[in-house]
Amino acid sequence: MTNKPSKSQNTVWHHATVTRERHEQLNGHRGIVVWFTGLSGAGKSTIAHEVEERLHRLGCRTFVFDGDNVRHGLCSDLGFSVEDRTENIRRIGEMTKLFVGAGVIALTAFISPYRRDRERVRQLVGDKDFIEVYTRCPIEICESRDTKGLYQRARAGEIQDFTGISSPYEPPEQPELIIDTSLESLERCAERVVVLLQQRGVMITPKGN
Amino acid sequence: MTNKPSKSQNTVWHHATVTRERHEQLNGHRGIVVWFTGLSGAGKSTIAHEVEERLHRLGCRTFVFDGDNVRHGLCSDLGFSVEDRTENIRRIGEMTKLFVGAGVIALTAFISPYRRDRERVRQLVGDKDFIEVYTRCPIEICESRDTKGLYQRARAGEIQDFTGISSPYEPPEQPELIIDTSLESLERCAERVVVLLQQRGVMITPKGN
């Protein structure tokens, strides 16, 4: 230790100098939450990953949150009761808020069936940083896809509180975007999300242009 | 909708194509957790912010987690009992793991007094992605700083379970780095952390160089 001791009373106490704005300037785009909501099998996760792929190619910093990386991790102590779903969405909301603070485009793919829970996240994150994408698809088509075999298990009574079967889904009343994966191609849905982000000014125009 | 409908059975189900490696290549550095542990007033948050400032100037993607943005948010339902502290650190660990997955350098500034809790995070995140920085400082000096007036309140019995006063602190046995803010300047401490990250190969050398 060749440096002089810094006596406690002389220490300069720095705090957050790297603000959200500086993260965003470095990234070339704003941080924002793109919140996909819809039934199991509607295509939320698929679209979110396709949107991420397109944004990444544009040089954006992104991250996709879905059941795979959250339900087994941060929320591994939670089930599917109304209370647990609410707490699940609350935590995801808090976490995405931090990603937004880091200047990241956070894409979330959760059924998030309750309007009230989604509205709380919107209020938490802030209206201008929250884009709700209603990923619409008739339940018959979701069920016919049944990529994970969940509908079959829910029909057999092996899964309790399954959204659309034994638990309600409340569609958004005023989402920023509605995509319908039974009518539109994956590519078209993803393109519409990216265009909306561009229209909302998420990409920062370099200074001097 | 001019696009042809994509029938469910024909839908191509894309999943995560933007891997951690692609995030890291875009960022020019690896994702990693730098976990500061130590008493209240030892300087964890101050050093973490100074390290962030330096890394940001090097073009790195960073984020600092501390009581300000986690205790009031993600962990607002938790107190300071042993169980709640454990759950607090578990959630922070899970969250930082996701930031690492996004290729971000996650700097955490929490007392995190229990060795077992910190070891769990290390195991969760993975040894090579976890740098434990023991931010050492004699409690007398921490108490003399008492920037938030917490020690005074703890001595007066107004705060229960206060680490170092009425709750134990377990120092790391084999931290990757020990800094001592009673002996070294803020600048020196921050520099040592940045140098360690460089030595560990966190910055990616551009291909072809």
Side-chain angles (χ1 to χ4, degrees):
Chain A
M1 313 294 170
T2 55
N3 291 54
K4 288 182 190 170
S6 79
K7 297 292 181 202
S8 56
Q9 55 271 38
N10 298 330
T11 300
V12 180
W13 293 93
H14 285 271
H15 279 284
T17 54
V18 185
T19 57
R20 173 176 169 182
E21 287 66 33
R22 287 179 69 198
H23 286 302
E24 293 178 333
Q25 282 296 332
L26 183 63
N27 290 350
H29 59 80
R30 283 173 42 216
I32 198 162
V33 176
V34 184
W35 189 279
F36 294 86
T37 173
L39 296 171
S40 176
K44 301 178 295 301
S45 187
T46 304
I47 308 283
H49 283 296
E50 176 66 21
V51 170
E52 175 174 57
E53 176 65 40
R54 289 171 183 231
L55 291 173
H56 184 83
R57 289 186 192 168
L58 293 172
C60 297
R61 270 62 185 185
T62 56
F63 198 70
V64 175
F65 301 83
D66 60 18
D68 289 341
N69 59 21
V70 170
R71 272 285 185 183
H72 301 298
L74 180 66
C75 296
S76 59
D77 54 324
L78 301 174
F80 292 86
S81 67
V82 175
E83 295 73 23
D84 279 9
R85 283 182 194 260
T86 295
E87 173 64 7
N88 182 51
I89 297 305
R90 185 191 75 80
R91 288 187 202 168
I92 294 164
E94 292 285 0
M95 187 164 53
T96 58
K97 186 181 174 183
L98 297 180
F99 273 78
V100 169
V104 172
I105 300 174
L107 307 146
T108 68
F110 299 93
I111 298 171
S112 49
Y114 301 117
R115 204 171 286 142
R116 189 194 53 193
D117 295 346
R118 297 191 305 264
E119 281 308 306
R120 275 205 200 117
V121 177
R122 181 188 290 273
Q123 283 166 27
L124 175 74
V125 173
D127 208 46
K128 77 170 179 49
D129 295 329
F130 187 81
I131 292 183
E132 189 174 15
V133 180
Y134 178 26
T135 311
R136 198 167 57 186
C137 185
I139 192 164
E140 299 73 32
I141 294 187
C142 293
E143 192 162 356
S144 74
R145 290 173 180 165
D146 206 13
T147 40
K148 301 175 189 168
L150 296 176
Y151 282 94
Q152 196 177 4
R153 290 177 55 205
R155 293 284 184 197
E158 292 170 27
I159 304 176
Q160 305 299 311
D161 300 322
F162 193 82
T163 301
I165 305 287
S166 47
S167 186
Y169 178 77
E170 299 171 357
E173 288 174 332
Q174 292 196 301
E176 275 73 10
L177 188 64
I178 300 175
I179 54 180
D180 191 321
T181 62
S182 71
L183 299 172
E184 304 167 272
S185 68
L186 166 66
E187 290 71 22
R188 170 74 181 147
C189 292
E191 186 192 346
R192 289 180 62 208
V193 177
V194 173
V195 167
L196 179 64
L197 289 172
Q198 289 168 326
Q199 286 170 345
R200 300 261 302 213
V202 171
M203 282 55 164
I204 298 171
T205 309
K207 284 175 183 171
N209 285 19
Chain B
M1 312 297 170
T2 55
N3 290 54
K4 287 182 193 171
S6 79
K7 297 294 181 201
S8 56
Q9 54 272 37
N10 297 331
T11 300
V12 180
W13 293 92
H14 285 272
H15 279 285
T17 55
V18 185
T19 57
R20 172 176 170 182
E21 287 66 32
R22 287 181 68 198
H23 286 301
E24 292 177 335
Q25 282 296 332
L26 183 62
N27 290 350
H29 59 82
R30 281 172 43 215
I32 198 162
V33 175
V34 185
W35 188 279
F36 294 87
T37 173
L39 296 172
S40 178
K44 301 178 296 300
S45 188
T46 303
I47 309 283
H49 283 295
E50 177 64 22
V51 171
E52 176 174 58
E53 176 65 39
R54 290 171 184 233
L55 291 173
H56 184 81
R57 288 186 193 167
L58 294 172
C60 297
R61 268 64 184 185
T62 56
F63 199 70
V64 175
F65 301 82
D66 60 17
D68 290 340
N69 58 23
V70 170
R71 271 286 185 182
H72 300 297
L74 181 67
C75 297
S76 59
D77 54 322
L78 301 174
F80 292 87
S81 67
V82 175
E83 295 74 23
D84 279 9
R85 284 183 193 262
T86 295
E87 173 64 8
N88 183 49
I89 298 305
R90 185 192 74 81
R91 288 188 203 169
I92 294 163
E94 293 284 2
M95 188 164 52
T96 58
K97 186 179 175 186
L98 296 181
F99 273 78
V100 168
V104 173
I105 301 175
L107 306 146
T108 68
F110 300 93
I111 298 172
S112 48
Y114 301 118
R115 204 171 284 139
R116 187 194 54 193
D117 295 346
R118 297 190 304 263
E119 281 308 307
R120 276 206 199 117
V121 178
R122 182 188 289 275
Q123 283 167 28
L124 176 72
V125 173
D127 209 44
K128 79 171 178 47
D129 295 329
F130 187 81
I131 291 184
E132 190 174 15
V133 181
Y134 177 25
T135 311
R136 196 167 58 185
C137 184
I139 191 163
E140 299 73 29
I141 294 186
C142 294
E143 192 163 355
S144 72
R145 292 174 180 165
D146 207 11
T147 40
K148 300 175 190 167
L150 296 175
Y151 281 94
Q152 197 177 2
R153 291 177 56 204
R155 291 286 183 198
E158 293 171 25
I159 304 176
Q160 307 298 312
D161 301 322
F162 193 83
T163 301
I165 306 286
S166 46
S167 187
Y169 178 78
E170 300 171 359
E173 287 174 333
Q174 291 196 303
E176 276 73 10
L177 188 64
I178 300 176
I179 54 180
D180 191 319
T181 62
S182 71
L183 300 172
E184 303 167 273
S185 70
L186 166 66
E187 290 70 23
R188 171 74 181 145
C189 291
E191 186 190 346
R192 290 180 62 210
V193 177
V194 173
V195 166
L196 179 64
L197 289 173
Q198 289 169 328
Q199 286 170 344
R200 301 262 302 215
V202 170
M203 282 54 164
I204 299 171
T205 309
K207 284 177 183 170
N209 285 18

Short mmCIF file of all heavy atoms in Angstrom, two decimals, chain B residues 25 204-209:
data_model
loop_
_atom_site.label_atom_id
_atom_site.label_comp_id
_atom_site.label_asym_id
_atom_site.label_seq_id
_atom_site.Cartn_x
_atom_site.Cartn_y
_atom_site.Cartn_z
N GLN B 25 -20.26 -10.33 -27.31
CA GLN B 25 -19.52 -9.86 -28.48
C GLN B 25 -19.92 -8.43 -28.83
O GLN B 25 -19.08 -7.60 -29.16
CB GLN B 25 -19.77 -10.79 -29.68
CG GLN B 25 -18.99 -12.10 -29.64
CD GLN B 25 -17.47 -11.90 -29.71
OE1 GLN B 25 -16.99 -10.93 -30.28
NE2 GLN B 25 -16.73 -12.81 -29.11
N ILE B 204 -13.00 -8.34 -23.93
CA ILE B 204 -12.78 -9.24 -25.06
C ILE B 204 -11.87 -8.55 -26.07
O ILE B 204 -12.16 -7.43 -26.49
CB ILE B 204 -14.12 -9.62 -25.75
CG1 ILE B 204 -15.03 -10.35 -24.74
CG2 ILE B 204 -13.87 -10.46 -26.98
CD1 ILE B 204 -16.44 -10.57 -25.27
N THR B 205 -10.81 -9.21 -26.43
CA THR B 205 -9.93 -8.67 -27.46
C THR B 205 -10.62 -8.82 -28.80
O THR B 205 -11.10 -9.91 -29.13
CB THR B 205 -8.59 -9.44 -27.50
OG1 THR B 205 -8.07 -9.48 -26.18
CG2 THR B 205 -7.62 -8.77 -28.43
N PRO B 206 -10.73 -7.74 -29.56
CA PRO B 206 -11.40 -7.84 -30.87
C PRO B 206 -10.77 -8.93 -31.72
O PRO B 206 -9.55 -9.12 -31.70
CB PRO B 206 -11.18 -6.46 -31.49
CG PRO B 206 -10.93 -5.54 -30.34
CD PRO B 206 -10.24 -6.39 -29.30
N LYS B 207 -11.59 -9.63 -32.47
CA LYS B 207 -11.09 -10.70 -33.34
C LYS B 207 -10.10 -10.15 -34.36
O LYS B 207 -10.30 -9.07 -34.90
CB LYS B 207 -12.26 -11.36 -34.06
CG LYS B 207 -13.03 -12.29 -33.13
CD LYS B 207 -14.25 -12.89 -33.83
CE LYS B 207 -15.03 -13.76 -32.84
NZ LYS B 207 -16.32 -14.17 -33.38
N GLY B 208 -9.08 -10.90 -34.62
CA GLY B 208 -8.09 -10.48 -35.60
C GLY B 208 -6.92 -9.74 -34.97
O GLY B 208 -5.91 -9.54 -35.62
N ASN B 209 -7.06 -9.35 -33.74
CA ASN B 209 -5.95 -8.66 -33.06
C ASN B 209 -5.04 -9.67 -32.35
O ASN B 209 -5.48 -10.74 -31.97
CB ASN B 209 -6.48 -7.68 -31.99
CG ASN B 209 -7.04 -6.42 -32.65
OD1 ASN B 209 -7.32 -6.45 -33.84
ND2 ASN B 209 -7.19 -5.36 -31.90
#
